[in-house]
Structures are given as C-alpha cells and as structure tokens.
Amino acid sequence: MSRVKCPKCNKAERILKSGIVRNKQRFYCKDCNYHFIEASPKRKNNIVLKSNNDQISLQDIAAAAGVSTTTVSRALKDRTDISEKTKKFIKELANSMNYQPNMLAQSLVSRTTHTLGVIIPSLETTIFSTMLSGIQEEASRYGYRVIICTSNENQETEIANILGLMNNMIDGLLICHTIQTSTFEHIRIHMGKRIPIAQFYRVAIDLPITQILADDEVGAEEVTEYLIQKGCTRIAMLLGSKSLSITQKRFKGYQNILKKHGIKIDGKLLAYVDFSLEQVEKALDKWLKITPKIDAIISISDRSAVQIIRQLKKKKIKIPNQIRVFGFGNEFVGEIVEPQLSTFDTRIRVIGEEASRLLIEQIISGSREITSKLIPGKLVIRDSA
Amino acid sequence: MSRVKCPKCNKAERILKSGIVRNKQRFYCKDCNYHFIEASPKRKNNIVLKSNNDQISLQDIAAAAGVSTTTVSRALKDRTDISEKTKKFIKELANSMNYQPNMLAQSLVSRTTHTLGVIIPSLETTIFSTMLSGIQEEASRYGYRVIICTSNENQETEIANILGLMNNMIDGLLICHTIQTSTFEHIRIHMGKRIPIAQFYRVAIDLPITQILADDEVGAEEVTEYLIQKGCTRIAMLLGSKSLSITQKRFKGYQNILKKHGIKIDGKLLAYVDFSLEQVEKALDKWLKITPKIDAIISISDRSAVQIIRQLKKKKIKIPNQIRVFGFGNEFVGEIVEPQLSTFDTRIRVIGEEASRLLIEQIISGSREITSKLIPGKLVIRDSA
DNA sequence: ATGAAAGCGCTAACAA
DNA sequence: TTGTTAGCGCTTTCAT
C-alpha cells in the first residue's frame, strides 16, 4: 500500500506504518523485521544523520537499532528484563552515537534534578565562599549539582531567590540568611512542600527546619575563659546584629564565663555593628576612652579583628601586652597580620559540608526529621592573645 | 449515560467526558458549560484540593477555571490573542492558587534553562570566589542562574564536570581551566554544539572560543618597568604552568621590558611552580643562592607573594631594600602583610562580570562570534616595592 | 524479552 | 478568542 521501500531488503510490499515519531513517520518491514524512518522531505537521504548541533535522543538510537525507545531506555538503565545481547548492542550503539541523556526530560518524569539550591549572602567574604566550597564538594560527592544565588545581605533578594529556585529546578534548598533577615514568613511558606529546606551558619533558631551551625556558645566560653586566665577583666566584645544567632550565642557564652568568675557585664564594653570599617572604628575609639581601661577585645569576625589590630598598632597600643585581641572564624588573614591573630576556629568548611550532607540525606530518605547540628570548633592561640 | 453529576447544577443528564487529564477523567456539563474532574476514588470530595505537597499545574488552573490549558498558558504569558477578561480572571485565579510554573517542563519545550554552568578550579582562593561573585551577579542581572562546579585543579574533574553539565541543563558554559589542563580535546568536542562555551582568566589562547582575561602582558610590562625604574636588574619571576596563558603572557610582558632595556633574560631567574608552599619555598631558596644576587621578585599570584614576603622576613632579608616583591591580583591579604604588598590589580571581579555578560549575550543573540576581551588592570604600589 | 501507549507539565500549530 | 492536538525526551505500566 505504501510506496516506501525498506532500506534493507529494498521491497515495498510488506511495509507497515509504526507510528509517528518526532514528526517523522516510522515504518516497519515485516520481511526483514527492520524499523526505519521515512526520508524526511528536507533530507537528501534516509540515513539517520543528526547534525552535530542536535543531541542524540533515545528515539534516534531506537531508530538506528530498530527497536523501541522503551528497549533502549531499559538497556541503558541496566534493567533486568532485557536480553544481555540487546543490552550490549544498544549500549555500544549509544556510546558510538555519543548519546547523552536529556536531564530535563528525565527530571520532568522523575521529579528529581539532583540539584541543590544555595542562597548565601555574599561570595566575596571568605567564610561564605569557604562554606560554599564545603557544600559544593560534599554535594558533588553525592552526585548533586549546586545552584548558587547571592542575596547580597538583602532580604528582598533572599526572598526573590527562594521563589526563583522553588520551581522544580532543585531537590533541596540551603539558606544562610542575610544579616538583616528578621522575619521568616518567606521560609515558612515553603516549609510544607516536597522540597526540604535547611539553614546553615546564620539561622533562625526557632524555625522548625534542619539547621547546621557553629557551636558559638561554647566557642565564646572558651575564648572568654582563656582571656580571663590571662588576667583580663575588662573584655570588650564586638558583636553583629542582635537578631542573629551568632551574636546571641556568642554573647551568651561570654556572659556565662563572666558570671562564673563573678565579673559584672558592662554594657559599655559591648558594641553591635554591621562590620563596616566605620562602625568598627567608631566602636574601638569609644572603648579606648573608657575607664577602667579595657584589656581585651573579642571580635565576632576575624576580618574586623584584623582591622582592630591594625588600628591599635597605628595608635601605638601594644598587642597583646596592653590589649589582647581575639577573633572568630580562623580566616587566612589572621595568619598574615602582625601580631598573628588568636581566633576561634569555627570550622566553617565543615559547616558547609555537614549542611550539604544532612540536606541530601533528607532528600534521599524522604524524611523530614528536624535536626539541629552544632559543629564544634577549637581555639587557635597565636600572638595577639 | 454517566452517573457523574455536575457539581454546579447537580444534574447528571448532560455530562460529557472531556478527556483524561493527569490520570483523572475530566467531564463537561453541557447545561452549565462547566468543566470539572471526577472525584478520585481516594478523595473524599470533588473539590479541586491539591495537597500542599503538590505543585499546582496549568491543568489544575484550567480545570478550576473551566478552560483549556492553552488558554491558561496564554493568559499567564500575556499573549494578545486572549480576551482581557479571561486573562485577568485566570491570572487572579493562578495567583490565588499560588501557581508556580514548572521550569523543567518549560525548559524541555523551549530548550532553554536560563542557567549558566561555571567550572572553576576552586572556591577557597579569593580570586576565584571573587570572579564567581562577578559572574553570579551579572548573570542574575540578566535573569540567569548559575550552577557551579569546582575542578579542584584537576583536569579529570574538569572533564567530568563538563560532561555533567552539557546535558541540557545549561544554556552556556564558562570555564576557567585548572592549572594542569594542557590538552583541550574535552573542550573541542563540545564546541560545535548549540551551547556556547567561553573561557575566562585562565584560557587556552588558541582555542577558538570567546575568552575573557586580564591584560597580563601589559600588566607584567608595567610591573617590570616599575622595578627597573627603581634600579632592579636581577628580577626573578615566579610563574605557573607553562601552558597557561597567564604564565605565557606575564612572561612575555617581562621579556618585552627586559629587552627594551637591554637586559638579558636569565633562565635561572624563572621558576615554574604549582603554587604549593613547598615549590614556592624551594624556588625562593634556589634564587637566594644565585649570583649576581636577585634584587626583585615578581610573583604571578599575591598569595605566593605573601608567602615569599613572610619567608624573606624570616631570613632577615629587608624588603624592599634588598629585594623588592611584586604580586598579581590585588587580593586582600596584600594589604595586611607587612610590608604591604605592591601588586598589579587585575580587576578579577570585572573579568567575571564580563565573562558572564559576553556569554549571555552570545546565548541571547545566538551569535557564535569569537571575541577575545582583555580587561585592563592597574599598578597598586605599596611598601614591598 | 520487547513494544505500544500514556503521561510528566508545558508550548505551539492548527482548527473552529 | 478559544480549544484540540501533537510533541519536547524520557519512564512506566500493561500487553504481547
């Protein structure tokens, strides 16, 4: 009935239509049990010849092999319900045709993308890029990709980013809040969904989702205890925004130890800043005028601690003799500044790794159990204290 | 014929089947012109009530609105061929149902994901995270997401990452090669494809794809000229792998200026290292034994320059009096080390931004024109030189 | 062991 | 202006 000839036996008698595939009529030759595609009007020949621009699809392989796409899919997925012979043949064919599966199609069906979304305040601050590095590496160990969005410490951007990611592109979301984030409705909205969310480093403690953070309280306790052992009693503390867990917990640790030693907290010794050069400088200037004189400064960040060291040096104040300086984070600069900075190593990279790991395990297991993981850190004593 | 009742008029007489949608039989009531879905056996009621776990789909909206999915799609896409009334109605409905389009489905159809792939050697080195920051920010300005992969300076990983990304998940690829990458077959393979590729910072100069990099030659010329003006004639240079453009071009600039001043290149003054502490230390030790004595060191990276400064100080060698030290990159540490590091600011962030911009413009325009963009930098003179 | 057909959620060509 | 239908590339019943 059809004028189409079988490319194998060249006969037209026993050709059957076998469905339309990708706009092309498929045929089947009963004689030689061969499937093929009609030469498209635009093509000069009927050889399956894809331009290099196009990805090879399952259907191309199927057509070339003369089997159904199902069979090809099964072969490539190492399913059991297929003969070893066909499997081997198709695998080799796919290989020679340089087949790469279309992840979009796979993901659309499977509803998984093997991709994590990460929202981070900035990439130019060492601690964040280090955490991201940990996240990325751990994820890739599990075979997951990472999409990053920076919020630039802006809550609006954080919200927009979350919306932009929760569109089936990711299997899980990791958030480190901006310094100004104080409401969490934008997180709550997404909490019931299929996609698990976890917070890391800067977390909203009472948000019922998994969180991974430094053991800030213990860290501050150790730092404060160390300074008191060295004879300090007038310990100033440079803190961040009051709503942040790192501020709260580090202050708590400081407070615990002062109490333990019967030292009264002096509000004048506390400064809440946004870590800008100006605010840090202003805080320092204020401290230096206080009597009794301060004999130590704990900075919530290494970066600011380094700034403080540089300014104290400019003012010819001896470190650690007159003032001991302590940082948090164990960033590389602390090693370079002179005197070298004593700091509490929060093991930032591990926080990233753990966040990644916990989230992926939630994704894989499907469990939505809330865990709150504290990463223990350790004192790094150098010259500044 | 059917026992199904219309939820509106509650009659069963004029109910027609209108296709099966998402496993559910759809119906149409001729009487009240109302589309609806049969109560699924597992559901208690026939109200369209999606569990919070499921995303709302176009079909859900269509069913709820009693129109076809096409109409909904058109309404939400602001197509002209739809009445204002329907459009407004559907938009509000979609909004109230909290509809989020499924990007995977959209991407499968449109063959675009609005996502860039970035392969970068590491995230823990300031220059890389800074470039990434530029890439990310510029991309998000264009409405593109960024998937990052780190190669950890390992060519195998770089190759694997490329393969892992070229599976329809990205619209374009940005690569910064590892320090060991010397063959580029793995790039060439993908060059003919639909997805444009660009290289940044560390590029293979003769690979015919768009590249964005620092104007290293001019940079090295300026640095060398500066040192010669200061009276240096024995200028050592710490370089990376010979196959890297940064090595080649920075050496070229150095060479140009030495030639100009009639100074012969001394091979002993050149060290090709992988930037590990050991290799840098070894190179330095070798240099210090050379006569006539070296009087300056240009390091291809700030990080190594800082290391060199620290070691010279340990050996009580005066900087800049005995040896002047110059870095490349203008990283933050250069400002902290004492003496502060003189460096050539390659404006790393701008390289990332430009890379992102050029690639996205290629994606949008479809043009595969090869451009080679040099980002000019500038000298930053501090104490070390 | 293999294939046909349906369907993931969406868009686009064509009809009405 | 709206709906019908097919199809993106893949997986998954269900039938053979």
Side-chain angles (χ1 to χ4, degrees), chain B residues 22 58 70 73 77 99 102 105-106 109:
Chain B
R22 309 182 84 215
L58 276 195
T70 316
S73 173
K77 282 273 163 71
Y99 170 73
N102 183 326
Q106 284 188 166
V109 173

Side-chain angles (χ1 to χ4, degrees), chain A residues 135-149:
Chain A
I135 290 171
Q136 204 278 324
E137 197 166 301
E138 191 70 8
S140 97
R141 202 166 288 141
Y142 278 88
Y144 277 70
R145 278 179 224 86
V146 171
I147 294 187
I148 47 152
C149 293

Side-chain angles (χ1 to χ4, degrees), chain B residues 360-378:
Chain B
I360 292 173
E361 284 180 354
Q362 282 208 357
I363 293 170
I364 294 172
S365 69
S367 135
R368 286 303 106 92
E369 198 184 334
I370 294 161
T371 58
S372 179
K373 181 128 190 176
L374 290 180
I375 309 295
K378 61 174 194 295

